Amino acid sequence: MSLRAESHAAASTLKKIAADMSNIIESLDTRDLHFEGEEVDAEVLNDPKGAVCIPFSAIYHTHGFKEPGTQTYLTGCPVRVRVLEVERFTSTKKVPSPNVYTIELTHGEFTWQVKRKFKHFQEFHRELLRYKAFVRIPIPTRSHTVRRQSIKRGEPRQMPSLPHTAESTVREEHFSSRRKQLEDYLTKILKMPMYRNYHGTMEFIGVSQLSFIHDLGPKGIEGLIMKRSGGHRIPGLNCCGQGRMCYRWSKRWLVVKDSFLLYMKPDSGAIAFVLLVDKEFNIKIGQKETETKYGLQIDNLSRSLILKCNSYRHAQWWRQGIDEFIRKHGKDFLTEHRFGSYAAVQENTLAKWYVNAKSYFEDVANAMEAAKEEIFITDWWLSPEIFMKRPVVEGNRWRLDCILKRKAQQGVRIFVMLYKEVELALGINSEYSKRTLMHLHPNIKVMRHPDHVSSSVYLWAHHEKLVIIDQSVAFVGGIDLAYGRWDDDEHRLTDVGSVKRMVAVKSVSTTNLTSAAESSERVPLQSQTLSPESHLFQRDADDTPDISKMKGVGKPKKFSRFSIYKHLHKHGMHHADSVSSIDSESNKGSIRSLKTGVGELLGETRFWHGKDYCNFVFKDWVQLDKPFADFIDRYTTPRMPWHDISSVVHGKAARDVARHFIQRWNFTKIMKPKYRSLSYPFLLPKSQQTANELKYQVPEAVHATVQVIRSAADWSAGIKYHEESIHNAYVSVIQNSKHYIYIENQFFISCAGDKVVWNKIGDAIAQRILKAHRENKRFRVYVVIPLLPGFEGDISTGGGNALQAIMHFNYRTMCRGENSILAQLKAEVGDKWINYISFCGLRTYAELEGKLVTELIYVHSKLLIADDNTVIIGSANINDRSMLGKRDSEMAIIVQDTETVPSVMDGEDYSAGKFSQSLRLRCFRVVLGGSDLNPEHQDPVCDKFFKEVWISTAARNATIFDKVFRCLPSDQVNNLTQLRDFINKPKLANDDPVKAAEELKKIRGFLVQFPFRFLEEEYLLPSVGTKESMVPMEVWT
């Protein structure tokens, strides 16, 4: 026999003996054992000013309840004990222990109560004696050695003794002394670390590793309980149906917090289920209700959880304990709120808006950088390699995957939920995004949902765009962290970026300041440090020239002798493709380390790298696993600018956004078997009571009243009833608006009436205008939508089937058919509808490689502003998919101003909301040109603005674009035959570029009138036989 085999045999024999001894000791009846000494002296338990908090991240590191060395208590903080009252229960049976003691315990900021009988004290005392004997025996197992080592040897201390008198003989007049005896007994036990840290003691006083975490809020009732499997509301989650025989009972530790319950497995400490408090939250007890003797049933929108207690009175305690605690601390979650939302209206909330992704991405990156515990992200599409700050002057530091990896290495937990697309229909490659992120670090967890086959959800998508930092700061809006989204207020069409190439190009007629490759001549030599937004023309200044000059029509020769390329040649960097690539090659980290004397090489930096330079109507994304390879030729095809809106909220509203994410994450975790492993933890919502302790705040936020609203349903969030609070909020705000409504949206599909479309937003707009007409009051509605839907298709041949289908429903809402808004208006007001509502799109132009080019600006916003005091920003489009709740999942916020500024409305003095008005003025400035402080934009209702600024700018711009470029869509094209003739006619941009440039100087901003008559004679729905015609109509609506 080899030496190794011998030692192995010896070790296994020792282990057997150790296990036998452990069992003997555990089952010893120690009533007569009474060792003296060897208890440990208490730690110095003075009340320090601030006990050391247990970090929130401890929820991800729970241990088995019997494992030694687990932190449960706050360091350096005593547990105070008071026995408050004695209830005497009379019974027909002779009960040896008729008195129930209510014990109140206080530990730091936490106070809780437990109810115990004297017999429980006796059992507890015996268990401690057994434990004491057990610890003194040197059993050679690792855990026992650790346990023995953790007990410091101090001065011997006698173990306190329990009163010996039998409970039944204690008279009422002696209750107070009995209470005092039990109080002293427990106080002494809790001063001795050896006993205080024993799992039996923790069970006796009802505490666990999750009891004293500040951000989880006050401590509720806790304890061991038997729970029954099943009860989930979502089909497919319960084993073989609802059969009564088909469940099992398990022992779990139940923890009650202010807005949720959870249970843990005592052996491993793993959190095994989280049940959120919601409007359906309810507790029943009794055999009849629960089909279980001494049963307790807890219901919410997602589950009916059945627990088993060991007596009817025990069940009553649990019910009362949970009910009183939730009603005291979580009452906001028990009711349905305004618009049918799950979230309460939160006053005094810090909020900020974003127009376009430049500032949004920067703030998101800075907030991620400040994260301490958790980052939650959910997107319809996420591209790991996008740059969050541009131009890129610090190598890859601000690339999304690099930020997340850096934070994960610092210990921040990152949870990402991606929409799992139907691969045949969409090319967003969420599988690549998941794989890329998961490979970065074990602290990054990514889920994809839904599984189309198992969940039978083929048609609907997760559409929210959320970034949540430490459950305290939540970004909510329309901007995915994905390719094509980054843009600023200039909406540039070109981004050639290569120094060599740019210098070689001779300008024909116009310099393109809209392009990222601003000509080198424009960089002022003396400027050493310009901000990233710096251009020769500062757009924010009051005396800003109009936007046509900003497009650089007419080129100043002032610095024409100076060439960045020559300058770089001197420094031996002429081989580099772009300044940002030079920067990534040098390790200096900043462009300014080039010491070119220019100070700002912004003009030559690429803003859109690789796949980020895109024009998705021209060509959809391909090969997303090669992020930095171009897929369209940036020297011949302009990019499609992206116009979008987002927001950020703090405090309680951010907690509400996080709660939605947590609900979806926990639902997906139990829904998909691959996520049931412990490596994908359950998430816990932080308490509203600590929501205003902001460790990080986004700059320039203002105080307002905010409510979180959403579209959610059984398939998306695991809830019994669907929620359509965004739809309800839209309709309510439109109906109650007094002066104007401003809408920017990616879609405009509404007007119920023909049983195809169901949402009521279009009808609400029409009815509100008719009400204003009847009352003879001014009322304006501004609608800005994309000129074409965002589907790949060559519009010069009529576009693809998908593109035409969306066009059909957009036109059906606006102006075609008896249910359209204009048809509803014309029936009552005739041609006067033109005084009330305006439909527009956005378009821009540039010079690319010496040629004039134009492209529509893709409006992706989901924004409504009313009366300069109410704003809705979110991910929900105006269509049935987003609004009905049962279809796509969405998230939005409704902001109502509380801080006001003096303004003008309809020619009269008006108190405008700070948040709403500043957002409207920024939107107007971007689409109309000019500055934020343009006095013409101040009053959005008066005739002067509506007719002479808005309508006339849109009409003039549209006419010029038609004249110069013969753009599509166009009112001159009513059918496909006219379309062919239209595109074959010569364009001024090609025939006479100098004259075309002169015409383009007259353009202001980006606003153009929406062409109502484009292809009006064609049937735009998919024709029979095409793959699009096989798809249900709901996909398009």
Side-chain angles (χ1 to χ4, degrees), residues 879-1012:
N879 60 11
D880 280 1
R881 290 187 67 116
S882 290
M883 289 293 168
L884 294 189
K886 295 175 183 175
R887 301 185 182 182
D888 291 1
S889 61
E890 307 284 2
M891 169 99 350
I893 58 164
I894 174 166
V895 181
Q896 287 163 306
D897 274 297
T898 48
E899 295 181 13
T900 59
V901 289
S903 183
V904 183
M905 187 74 74
D906 200 5
E908 294 180 12
D909 288 349
Y910 185 75
S911 287
K914 223 178 191 175
F915 184 95
S916 310
Q917 192 201 41
S918 58
L919 172 54
R920 176 181 63 78
L921 289 174
R922 173 59 58 86
C923 290
F924 279 12
R925 186 202 86 182
V926 170
V927 302
L928 292 166
S931 76
D932 272 358
L933 301 170
N934 191 329
E936 282 187 330
H937 298 174
Q938 206 65 23
D939 183 345
V941 179
C942 67
D943 278 352
K944 185 172 175 9
F945 173 76
F946 185 68
K947 293 177 178 171
E948 295 171 32
V949 178
W950 186 270
I951 303 265
S952 88
T953 302
R956 183 178 63 244
N957 288 351
T959 308
I960 296 167
F961 275 121
D962 276 348
K963 188 174 174 184
V964 173
F965 293 108
R966 299 183 70 75
C967 309
L968 291 172
S970 164
D971 272 335
Q972 296 171 47
V973 177
N974 308 142
N975 55 48
L976 292 172
T977 314
Q978 289 177 0
L979 178 62
R980 279 189 287 277
D981 298 342
F982 183 81
I983 58 166
N984 290 325
K985 284 184 183 162
K987 299 176 185 173
L988 188 64
N990 297 344
D991 293 358
D992 190 347
V994 176
K995 189 174 178 201
E998 283 301 310
E999 285 292 328
L1000 290 171
K1001 281 183 187 176
K1002 298 173 193 165
I1003 281 181
R1004 299 284 178 274
F1006 305 121
L1007 198 70
V1008 291
Q1009 233 167 15
F1010 202 89
F1012 282 158

Side-chain angles (χ1 to χ4, degrees), residues 106-173:
T106 308
H107 184 49
E109 62 182 302
F110 301 93
T111 300
W112 71 105
Q113 292 182 356
V114 293
K115 295 195 173 191
R116 298 288 180 260
K117 293 181 175 180
F118 184 62
K119 72 168 185 187
H120 297 138
F121 276 93
Q122 290 174 310
E123 286 162 8
F124 173 52
H125 187 66
R126 280 200 291 276
E127 194 180 345
L128 287 180
L129 290 170
R130 199 154 56 229
Y131 171 64
K132 177 181 166 184
F134 175 53
V135 164
R136 296 181 69 179
I137 300 167
I139 301 167
T141 63
R142 188 171 168 272
S143 62
H144 193 73
T145 311
V146 170
R147 193 181 285 119
R148 280 169 60 83
Q149 284 167 354
S150 70
I151 294 167
K152 306 178 203 120
R153 293 185 171 268
E155 102 193 31
R157 168 83 60 93
Q158 174 130 4
M159 185 167 166
S161 55
L162 266 180
H164 293 305
T165 358
E167 183 77 346
S168 47
T169 61
V170 178
R171 294 201 193 127
E172 243 170 271
E173 57 268 27

